[in-house]
Amino acid sequence: MAAVKLEALTRHDASQSPEADLARKALTYMTMMREVEERIERRLYRQGKVLGGVYVGRGQEAIPVGAGLAARPDDVLFPSHRDLALYLMRGVTPGQIFAQYMGRVGGLTRGRDGNMHMGDLSKGLVAIISAMAASVPVAAGAAMALKYQGRDQIVMVFFGDGATSRGDWHEGINLAAVQKAPLVLFCNNNQYAYSTPLDKQMACANVADRAPGYGIPAEIVDGNDPLAIYEAGRRGADHARMGLGPYLIECKTFRMTGHSAHDPADYVPKQLFEEWSQQCPIVRLEKRMIEEGWATSQEIAQLHERIRLETDQAIEWAEQSPYPDPSTLELDVYETKG
Amino acid sequence: MAAVKLEALTRHDASQSPEADLARKALTYMTMMREVEERIERRLYRQGKVLGGVYVGRGQEAIPVGAGLAARPDDVLFPSHRDLALYLMRGVTPGQIFAQYMGRVGGLTRGRDGNMHMGDLSKGLVAIISAMAASVPVAAGAAMALKYQGRDQIVMVFFGDGATSRGDWHEGINLAAVQKAPLVLFCNNNQYAYSTPLDKQMACANVADRAPGYGIPAEIVDGNDPLAIYEAGRRGADHARMGLGPYLIECKTFRMTGHSAHDPADYVPKQLFEEWSQQCPIVRLEKRMIEEGWATSQEIAQLHERIRLETDQAIEWAEQSPYPDPSTLELDVYETKG
Amino acid sequence: MATTYLEAIREGLFEEMDRDPNVFLLGEDIGIYGGAFKVTAGMLDRYGPRRIVDTPISESAIVGAAIGASFMGLRPVAEMQFADFISCGFDQIVNFAAKCRYRWNAPAPMVVRAPCGGGIHGGPYHSQQNEAWFAHTPGLKVVLPATARDAKGLIKSAVRDNDPVIFFEHKALYRRVKEDLPQGDYTVPLGKANIHREGRHLSVITYSAMVHVADEAASIVAKEGLSVEVIDLRTLTPLDEDTILASVRKTSKAIVFHEATLTGGFGGEIAARITEKAFEYLDGPVMRLAAPDTPVPFSPTLEEAYLPNVDKLVAKIRQLAAY
Amino acid sequence: MATTYLEAIREGLFEEMDRDPNVFLLGEDIGIYGGAFKVTAGMLDRYGPRRIVDTPISESAIVGAAIGASFMGLRPVAEMQFADFISCGFDQIVNFAAKCRYRWNAPAPMVVRAPCGGGIHGGPYHSQQNEAWFAHTPGLKVVLPATARDAKGLIKSAVRDNDPVIFFEHKALYRRVKEDLPQGDYTVPLGKANIHREGRHLSVITYSAMVHVADEAASIVAKEGLSVEVIDLRTLTPLDEDTILASVRKTSKAIVFHEATLTGGFGGEIAARITEKAFEYLDGPVMRLAAPDTPVPFSPTLEEAYLPNVDKLVAKIRQLAAY
Ligand SMILES: Cc1ncc(C[n+]2csc(CCOP(=O)(O)OP(=O)(O)O)c2C)c(N)n1
Ligand SMILES: Cc1ncc(C[n+]2csc(CCOP(=O)(O)OP(=O)(O)O)c2C)c(N)n1
Ligand SMILES: [Mg+2]
Ligand SMILES: [Mg+2]
């Protein structure tokens, strides 16, 4: 009895530790992201209910989740197109996200824009535009503003490996570095930009190799480990919050899908998909959680079930959200029309 | 007698060496550039004969001259706004340059554009546009074309420290690096961009620190030593010509003037001007030439005199060149006016 | 066998690449992937990576590199993945390419291909119709084919042209529009409008996808006895003013019609020229129909309200006819 | 004491910075140097480097940073050293700033100041007048003051406006135009044209530096008994259509006049609106006078031939008056 009790206590202790708590949060949001995106890509899109481009972050969920956990609730986030979890972590509901993808008024852009092009300033979420890396100078400006206002918040901005080729990426980081703006930069290096592999995108080995050119620190992390990304994100956030300027975190991962829902990704060697499927951040974390005693497999199964149910309900909610009234077409181009 | 003879021979030998020849060429072009720019900035501009912006390369003549000497005659050059010597080295006459500045038909742009905005494809000289660093992607494309055509020429492109902040600089180098295009990049790091000192332009110590981010080699050279720049330029040109891709050469120097003729540069600490005036590339080279026996001070004095005379004549020639006929205004917007 | 608009462009590019070894393509994902819309599918196999250059995501470098290559004697055809991203290479286009011939006699023969237009649920960043920026930039030619035949003939002319050409391909036409093409090597000259449909009572002056909308509207009002002439401009610069004015002098009534937003659109230019140069012939105001002054909205209900369509044009035609 | 156009803008900026601690300036060389034209001279001393931010040479980052700062509640005023370089930050302006309110209700209250225009021997890259690109982009406001009074009143309105404003300052007016300004805090509203000079026979509709050319031309033809009304639009978006149409309904004849190149210029828009909405009032074609479709040439003989001027306008006025 005593032994059993002790074991239970140990388990209990492990599952009560801050690390366990973090892991559970990470698992929850990664699973939610996976589930919501699965529905969008594999069900709603194929049913013709979602129009326009569908870009998902399958296999890359650890990046927004690890980063988002490292952010303070009042930090400002600039997600890119594979960072759905950041929205969930800031309280955007799956229903709102489905509605967004379906062009309904219940989405964050009320049908004005689609898919991941969404934001909500009251939640510290800034919407991307399509042009890759265009967010980087904007994030730099937001970070400069926080410093201007004497606030101790920071900004986190997200982008892919391909985006780093754009002039905006360079100009934005350089400005932020000169201004010592509190900006943490997360690169989702999933080794492809659409069909373009890394060696046609850049001639250096790592995106992090660019950091010295801006006089900022960088680190490379396992992009499929949310806790490692969280740790790096904390270091980056601390650095930025202390007034030391930008910090670059390169997350090495792999895009486990085509570029978008209509892309079969024939150009990716099959073997790469196989190798990287061993690295699924959700499976890896679950394994570790069980090993460390942070959760039981039953608890994990329950989590999945709960998320599936919530997602079902969210889709129902979204499908009941109306399409925007055409008479609103010309509103909000300016503060007052005219 | 024998001793004297020997001494003369030694002198003769030194002055006949390839190094002496190079030094004499360097001195000639640096002096020509200095003289032509002096006339433009301190005479013609003040007389109101030159309109528009006047940017000179005083104290920075070693850069275009050293680089130009490292180029083969059929290599393609993209000078920036302080690289006048490149034009002279390619056979553009001082008269054409004065005419260019004065808006006469005798200038390379026939009055269509002013100052250093000039080019002549038959001489391998491509005209800048004002937007800093815009030449870099264009030079990348020219270099890609040379490779496409299987030619063994290379491209050299020039820019300032400030220009490296622009997105075009980043995009152009990155593309050239990925394509292994034969491109040598010369940075005139004169420590100011207009009134902006380096520490407000970039947070890294050297422009060369950016090269690893493109997977290309870089070196830093004494920007006031044309022979050192020549050596670096040869290394860069060889690298590029061998098919190894771009090569970056950062020339550390100082802008011994205001940004342009109307700028008194009050924002530059006087002491910097004093320090750097000790480093005049012309004076330094002359001293070395005499020490090494590459030229006598008499020969040097004669060179200066000859250049002064030629410059006088060139101004006369340019002043006789007519202004463009207004009836030509609408020609050459397209191949056929359309 | 009918050829689609998209295939027609591809055929044109194949033929020009076969004809002239200096022609090459550069852009994002144009190689193994064949381009976002598959216009360049098969090109990499045929011409190899030397002539089909996949680039990093850097529109400014793509355009700049095209300029530089053109200076060296090549004939680059650059692809923007969407016309919406052309603004990322804007400075290179309007300041470098457009002005180099005028300034220093250095022509930049190159083509920038840009898939444009709405109707594919693309939202604000995959639907833009931004030709007017370029038509206001001296030194550029602006081409917007409406038919498969023209798409092929115009891309071939664009490649052979000695000035920079911005070639707008309408995405909604890529697979929807098809026809039998003439055999062999033909071109369609830049600067010549096409009388897409002859008519007597009223001229609709338009281009790109709206040509088909105008044709449909003309068919509808034809049943009411209204004979509408549809002018397909095909190129905005050079502009075929003669064909426009001849049509308006004949019909005395004109509607200028485009998918781009109204204010500051190229329709203003056309309307102004008609008014200035055919004033005495006009039996009514020159009218315009275009998209409203908003970004292109994503949601189907909004996009439908946004895009000019047959109903709106029919109403406009009736209004002007009744004037 | 008369205040120049340049000083008026500076005064406006000083007053807005004093009034609102969220207003700050960013741009190249605006601090210790006071800007290429010295508009911001004295600002660094007064407000320090926190509020007067010297940036690297990166127009896209400058505009982007302004957008980001505006999201955080600041009121950025960004300076382009010349309007010619605004094309380097084009995507941020037309795609990010212009569309964010419409898309996701995130207004970007910010001003981009851009010294524009020719007549200073600046050549192709220091003389451009490129307002039409922005006037064709929904979501942007486009302001071009012609007088010192308006320059101050409009910059203050622009700073207070809750939408992105592109503020074109004409370089040739900076020191040439001056007048006594009203005392105290005044603004000039965006979207209201000014009847710069009243007249009965013919309307010249113009803006920016050309207002003064039009005024001179009007004085000349006045001696011939021709009464010309000069409308100074002041802002292109929002456009004060009412004032334009009221003037044309009164005079029945209109010339649209601008310094930008003709084809695709904003003059087409104005001419089209007049024709469409005041057709019955017109006693002659709406005419346009603008620069020819070329880059701005450098040489004085060419630039003089290029720029619209009093002689050319007088000739056009006489031509239309005689119609
Ligand atoms: C400026 C620009 N050019 C082209 C595109 C088209 N495009 C959309 S996503 C994408 C690839 C992005 O790759 P990366 O940055 O690595 O992100 P990933 O999709 O791999 O996460 C491209 C080329 C774009 N959105 N923006
Ligand atoms: C895109 C752009 N923005 C602004 C300017 C205005 N401008 C002309 S030269 C210059 C400074 C250039 O500095 P740097 O590159 O260091 O060259 P330097 O003049 O010092 O040789 C600036 C800001 C410009 N020409 N292009
Ligand atoms: Mg990627
Ligand atoms: Mg410099």
Side-chain angles (χ1 to χ4, degrees), chain C residues 179-243:
Chain C
E179 66 189 300
D180 290 324
L181 300 190
Q183 290 297 305
D185 178 33
Y186 74 93
T187 58
V188 172
L190 308 188
K192 284 269 158 263
N194 180 38
I195 303 175
H196 183 84
R197 178 188 184 116
E198 285 202 54
R200 296 183 319 279
H201 300 136
L202 189 150
S203 305
V204 173
I205 295 138
T206 187
Y207 53 91
S208 193
M210 293 303 111
V211 169
H212 304 283
V213 174
D215 193 64
E216 241 185 276
S219 296
I220 289 172
V221 297
K223 294 178 200 132
E224 303 160 18
L226 257 172
S227 164
V228 168
E229 178 145 304
V230 177
I231 304 290
D232 173 3
L233 291 175
R234 299 200 284 208
T235 66
L236 300 189
T237 28
L239 182 66
D240 185 355
E241 200 181 83
D242 293 346
T243 299

Side-chain angles (χ1 to χ4, degrees), chain A residues 81-82 130 132 160-163 190 192-193 259, chain C residues 28 59 81 85:
Chain A
H81 56 297
R82 305 200 194 273
S130 277
M132 292 289 110
D161 44 291
N190 60 13
Y192 276 88
H259 169 63
Chain C
E28 296 153 14
E59 283 71 12
Q81 205 155 79
F85 304 136

Side-chain angles (χ1 to χ4, degrees), chain B residues 112-113 128 148 168 329 334, chain C residues 21 60 72 102-103 140 162:
Chain B
R112 258 72 182 306
D113 205 338
I128 49 166
Y148 181 102
D168 269 16
L329 172 66
Y334 299 98
Chain C
S60 193
M72 298 295 104
Y102 188 77
R103 292 167 58 228
L140 301 177
N162 288 327

Side-chain angles (χ1 to χ4, degrees), chain A residues 108-121:
Chain A
L108 287 193
T109 65
R110 304 147 295 137
R112 259 69 183 306
D113 206 338
N115 54 47
M116 294 294 292
H117 290 195
M118 56 183 167
D120 181 343
L121 280 179

Side-chain angles (χ1 to χ4, degrees), chain C residues 74-303:
Chain C
L74 299 188
R75 298 239 158 212
V77 180
E79 175 173 309
M80 302 282 107
Q81 205 155 79
F82 285 82
D84 309 68
F85 304 136
I86 202 168
S87 33
C88 300
F90 198 70
D91 184 61
Q92 288 286 349
I93 295 176
V94 302
N95 277 329
F96 219 126
K99 297 178 177 39
C100 49
R101 178 192 287 280
Y102 188 77
R103 292 167 58 228
W104 59 291
N105 257 325
M110 55 185 274
V111 181
V112 178
R113 295 180 38 245
C116 69
I120 59 150
H121 308 301
Y125 298 114
H126 291 79
S127 308
Q128 291 175 43
Q129 191 75 28
N130 44 26
E131 65 276 5
W133 294 333
F134 304 99
H136 182 49
T137 304
L140 301 177
K141 294 182 176 174
V142 178
V143 178
L144 304 99
T147 67
R149 186 184 184 288
D150 285 351
K152 179 170 174 185
L154 288 167
I155 191 73
K156 285 164 66 83
S157 291
V159 170
R160 297 181 195 184
D161 200 83
N162 288 327
D163 285 303
V165 176
I166 317 295
F167 192 88
F168 287 101
E169 306 169 1
H170 201 293
K171 301 188 293 289
L173 302 182
Y174 269 151
R175 294 181 167 81
R176 223 179 57 199
V177 161
K178 55 180 105 173
E179 66 189 300
D180 290 324
L181 300 190
Q183 290 297 305
D185 178 33
Y186 74 93
T187 58
V188 172
L190 308 188
K192 284 269 158 263
N194 180 38
I195 303 175
H196 183 84
R197 178 188 184 116
E198 285 202 54
R200 296 183 319 279
H201 300 136
L202 189 150
S203 305
V204 173
I205 295 138
T206 187
Y207 53 91
S208 193
M210 293 303 111
V211 169
H212 304 283
V213 174
D215 193 64
E216 241 185 276
S219 296
I220 289 172
V221 297
K223 294 178 200 132
E224 303 160 18
L226 257 172
S227 164
V228 168
E229 178 145 304
V230 177
I231 304 290
D232 173 3
L233 291 175
R234 299 200 284 208
T235 66
L236 300 189
T237 28
L239 182 66
D240 185 355
E241 200 181 83
D242 293 346
T243 299
I244 298 171
L245 295 179
S247 177
V248 177
R249 286 190 184 119
K250 177 173 70 173
T251 62
S252 300
K253 286 183 176 177
I255 293 171
V256 185
F257 178 46
H258 59 57
E259 182 180 325
T261 53
L262 182 76
T263 298
F266 200 73
E269 178 64 33
I270 299 165
R273 291 214 196 184
I274 293 171
T275 310
E276 188 155 356
K277 301 191 175 170
F279 187 68
E280 304 90 33
Y281 294 85
L282 289 177
D283 282 346
V286 180
M287 288 185 171
R288 286 183 299 162
L289 180 63
D293 294 327
T294 78
V296 188
F298 168 69
S299 192
T301 52
L302 293 177
E303 192 182 13

